Amino acid sequence: MLKKTCPACQTTFECHVDNIFQCQCYDVPLNAYQKEQIERQYNDCLCASCLNNINKQPLTKLPKQ
């Protein structure tokens, strides 16, 4: 488990890179386009709250860095 800071909102969260099934991002459904856009804008994991917000947005919008 790693403590990380979300690059989108600066919230601290736990990343379970060693066990993805326990990770906070595991249950957030994102399509391939959303994942690609996240990878383009951010250089690290986002918190579940930001990922959920991205999932709810139109495909052309992502939170600004």
Side-chain angles (χ1 to χ4, degrees):
M1 185 237 355
L2 300 170
K3 289 275 187 183
K4 291 192 172 196
T5 300
C6 177
C9 71
Q10 307 308 308
T11 298
T12 301
F13 64 94
E14 292 180 359
C15 176
H16 290 268
V17 69
D18 57 334
N19 186 348
I20 190 67
F21 300 112
Q22 290 182 346
C23 200
Q24 50 93 42
C25 67
Y26 181 72
D27 291 325
V28 182
L30 297 171
N31 63 42
Y33 177 80
Q34 291 166 321
K35 290 176 184 178
E36 180 182 320
Q37 294 303 310
I38 291 167
E39 287 177 10
R40 285 185 186 181
Q41 280 193 302
Y42 302 103
N43 61 358
D44 206 353
C45 300
L46 301 182
C47 69
S49 178
C50 285
L51 292 174
N52 280 313
N53 287 338
I54 288 168
N55 188 42
K56 294 174 187 172
Q57 292 179 7
L59 292 179
T60 57
K61 286 185 167 183
L62 288 179
K64 295 205 180 198
Q65 203 172 11

